[in-house]
Amino acid sequence: MNSKEIFSQLNIFAQCKKYGLPLWQCPHFLFLLMGLIIIGSTLGFYLIGSRYIQDPQAVALITLLVTAILFIIAFIVTRSFERLAEANRMKSEFISVVSHQLRSPLSNLRWTIELLNSGKVDSVSEKQLEYFKVLKENSDRMRELISDLLIISRIETAKFPLKKKEFSLVELIKELIKGLEPLAKASNVEVKFEPKADSPKIFADPSQIQLVIENLLDNAIRYIKEKGKVEIKLKRKDGSLYFEIEDTGVGIPEEDQKYIFQKFFRSENVMRYQTQGSGLGLYIAKSIIERSGGKIGFKSEENKGSTFWFTLPIK
Amino acid sequence: MKKILFIEDESALQKTFGEILSQEGYEMISALDGEIGLRLANPPAGEKKPDLILLDLVLPKIHGFEVLKKLKADIETKDIPVIVLTNLEGIGDVDKALGLGATTYLVKAQYGLEEVVEKIKKALGE
């Protein structure tokens, strides 16, 4: 093992990040903590014992007994958390491996459908085109789900680093609105965005922030039932950049609101069975914003609409 | 007619690309593993070398990164543009491939067929 590997093993925070568990559940951290407690307790008992007990052998025996008991407790505690951490790591690795293995046949399927759809191989009847469309839509759904699962797996095993740089959210938002224009038109939704001239730049990973805004905008459009409006605002607030997206959609039932950022959660609102989604988008959005040093939240009223917001630090 | 070498172990993909590249006016040759790929990249004298190589990374016998390294180390093949076409997206994979001399790194799941063809045309200077 070279010195770099030794140092990385000693870097408890990096080791804990790999497991995707909070510090207090991380076996490396617990081992260190229990070690310090044992050393402190041993010294404490010895000092206190020496003051009140005359026989040094008795003091030594009691200190040893206490140390042994604490050691056994520490061993049991760290072992059980080690199993939990290992299970969590294996789960993330499993998702990553399976997702990658699923992506390959899915890419094959997708490109074959595109080739057939193009009519370049042979002429395609209207009816065949309809069925190819179904194949394509479903392979796209699977592809998005696998992509989301891979992102989550990387976030949870700290393999999704932020490549921060200074950039303007205004241009990013304009591009995303343009990209989702066909969906907005088809859904009869007007998307409004009037950025102010003095919108500040932020220091973040543009590709990850793009994922967040794309998800919020896509949701805002899709959860409008017949005709509606989505309005995006961007401003400076309390030294941060404040992004807000308000829709006139179906809203989120109150009983569902506390689960909205959980993995795989999809609200039981009226659009539940008319829209497709994995329930991972908001979990990913929250993870990205918090890792970028920001906050995310929302307010919503059923049948009136929702407003999602996030803040990001300005460099 | 320009020649494209496709080093990819999935025969279904070989078939799809064979069809689309032929429609676009290219000659495509297939290699189902890295060893065959390296042989076809540097054919015997008298045979035309490929104008571009499409390279998957997860390959039998020799890993794609190793194939890329050898292609760029060989004076006969180092100037052939290589487009990496893979589903690998791990930390450092893109930088590693570009550092070894790949022209472009495309994650299969992120590109449509037409988009890949556009990238091929761009790499061929068309």
Side-chain angles (χ1 to χ4, degrees):
Chain A
M1 231 198 265
N2 62 32
S3 53
K4 200 176 172 188
E5 282 164 355
I6 293 169
F7 180 74
S8 87
Q9 288 289 322
L10 291 174
N11 185 349
I12 289 178
F13 298 105
Q15 293 294 320
C16 288
K17 253 192 178 170
K18 264 194 229 171
Y19 286 116
L21 290 169
L23 210 55
W24 69 272
Q25 283 182 355
C26 172
H28 293 77
F29 178 74
L30 286 172
F31 182 75
L32 178 70
L33 187 66
M34 297 301 288
L36 291 171
I37 291 172
I38 290 172
I39 292 168
S41 306
T42 306
L43 283 171
F45 269 106
Y46 182 75
L47 289 169
I48 294 167
S50 310
R51 188 180 271 211
Y52 297 103
I53 302 172
Q54 300 302 318
D55 184 356
Q57 278 182 334
V59 171
L61 196 65
I62 294 170
T63 306
L64 231 105
L65 199 63
V66 168
T67 308
I69 291 169
L70 284 175
F71 188 80
I72 292 167
I73 294 171
F75 183 76
I76 294 168
V77 166
T78 50
R79 280 293 279 179
S80 58
F81 277 107
E82 206 172 71
R83 285 197 193 104
L84 171 67
E86 190 54 24
N88 206 49
R89 190 193 64 78
M90 282 172 68
K91 177 207 77 181
S92 287
E93 205 170 282
F94 175 74
I95 289 173
S96 180
V97 167
V98 167
S99 300
H100 176 262
Q101 295 296 334
L102 283 173
R103 266 179 154 186
S104 294
L106 209 47
S107 298
N108 298 355
L109 186 65
R110 181 191 176 197
W111 285 339
T112 306
I113 292 168
E114 284 179 17
L115 183 63
L116 290 169
N117 244 351
S118 70
K120 287 180 180 176
V121 177
D122 211 343
S123 60
V124 180
S125 71
E126 280 299 314
K127 211 166 183 74
Q128 283 171 327
L129 268 176
E130 263 178 54
Y131 286 107
F132 285 142
K133 194 177 163 200
V134 170
L135 283 171
K136 186 178 183 314
E137 278 169 4
N138 283 279
S139 83
D140 284 346
R141 273 175 69 191
M142 283 170 67
R143 186 170 51 92
E144 280 164 24
L145 174 60
I146 290 169
S147 182
D148 284 349
L149 285 171
L150 270 176
I151 290 173
I152 285 170
S153 154
R154 285 188 198 127
I155 287 172
E156 291 180 347
T157 52
K159 286 178 187 168
F160 198 47
L162 292 166
K163 290 182 188 167
K164 286 186 175 183
K165 64 182 208 186
E166 202 179 28
F167 70 101
S168 163
L169 260 191
V170 172
E171 292 311 313
L172 182 65
I173 293 169
K174 283 180 178 172
E175 268 178 46
L176 287 170
I177 291 173
K178 197 173 168 190
L180 285 170
E181 209 180 310
L183 174 66
K185 268 206 173 105
S187 311
N188 214 353
V189 170
E190 181 200 346
V191 180
K192 192 176 160 196
F193 175 51
E194 285 166 358
K196 292 198 172 90
D198 65 340
S199 290
K201 288 189 176 178
I202 53 166
F203 190 65
D205 183 326
S207 62
Q208 293 194 22
I209 301 301
Q210 182 179 328
L211 280 177
V212 174
I213 298 175
E214 198 169 11
N215 178 264
L216 293 177
L217 181 56
D218 192 89
N219 281 350
I221 295 170
R222 284 186 198 279
Y223 283 93
I224 289 175
K225 206 168 171 189
E226 275 151 6
K227 182 181 175 176
K229 194 170 141 188
V230 171
E231 191 172 351
I232 296 175
K233 288 179 191 155
L234 201 62
K235 61 184 180 188
R236 195 186 284 262
K237 188 177 174 184
D238 302 329
S240 298
L241 183 79
Y242 176 81
F243 168 97
E244 182 184 278
I245 179 165
E246 186 180 351
D247 66 63
T248 55
V250 295
I252 305 164
E254 206 176 314
E255 61 272 19
D256 290 349
Q257 289 186 16
K258 58 180 178 287
Y259 305 112
I260 213 73
F261 287 112
Q262 281 184 11
K263 265 189 270 188
F264 298 111
F265 180 79
R266 293 196 70 216
S267 174
E268 289 285 336
N269 60 25
V270 295
M271 302 295 283
R272 169 84 167 88
Y273 299 103
Q274 289 152 266
T275 54
Q276 284 151 8
S278 58
L280 294 171
L282 287 177
Y283 173 82
I284 291 172
K286 185 169 188 275
S287 303
I288 290 172
I289 294 296
E290 287 177 353
R291 286 167 76 236
S292 304
K295 288 186 181 153
I296 187 167
F298 72 98
K299 59 178 192 274
S300 184
E301 202 179 324
E302 214 170 351
N303 301 317
K304 291 236 171 101
S306 304
T307 302
F308 277 81
W309 58 266
F310 66 78
T311 61
L312 284 170
I314 298 166
K315 193 189 175 192
Chain B
M1 191 188 272
K2 288 196 174 158
K3 193 173 179 183
I4 296 173
L5 169 60
F6 191 12
I7 309 177
E8 162 65 64
D9 62 329
E10 293 265 356
S11 47
L13 266 189
Q14 289 280 5
K15 197 177 164 104
T16 304
F17 271 82
E19 182 67 48
I20 193 80
L21 290 176
S22 147
Q23 300 269 348
E24 294 289 336
Y26 300 111
E27 179 197 351
M28 192 191 91
I29 50 170
S30 306
L32 290 174
D33 65 55
E35 258 179 30
I36 300 170
L38 286 169
R39 240 187 0 256
L40 292 176
N42 191 11
E47 269 183 53
K48 187 175 184 264
K49 275 192 282 196
D51 298 286
L52 180 131
I53 298 173
L54 278 177
L55 173 66
D56 188 15
L57 288 181
V58 180
L59 291 168
K61 295 189 183 169
I62 313 177
H63 193 275
F65 280 132
E66 201 50 42
V67 172
L68 182 56
K69 217 189 274 184
K70 286 183 195 284
L71 285 169
K72 293 300 170 184
D74 187 341
I75 198 164
E76 298 293 333
T77 56
K78 68 179 181 63
D79 293 325
I80 304 174
V82 177
I83 295 180
V84 169
L85 187 63
T86 176
N87 268 320
L88 279 186
E89 228 185 328
I91 299 175
D93 286 338
V94 180
D95 291 338
K96 187 174 177 181
L98 297 175
L100 285 171
T103 310
T104 314
Y105 189 105
L106 302 178
V107 176
K108 289 174 185 170
Q110 293 174 2
Y111 291 89
L113 196 55
E114 294 290 342
E115 288 169 300
V116 175
V117 171
E118 285 307 311
K119 297 281 184 190
I120 290 170
K121 286 179 180 174
K122 194 175 171 189
L124 285 167
E126 291 169 11

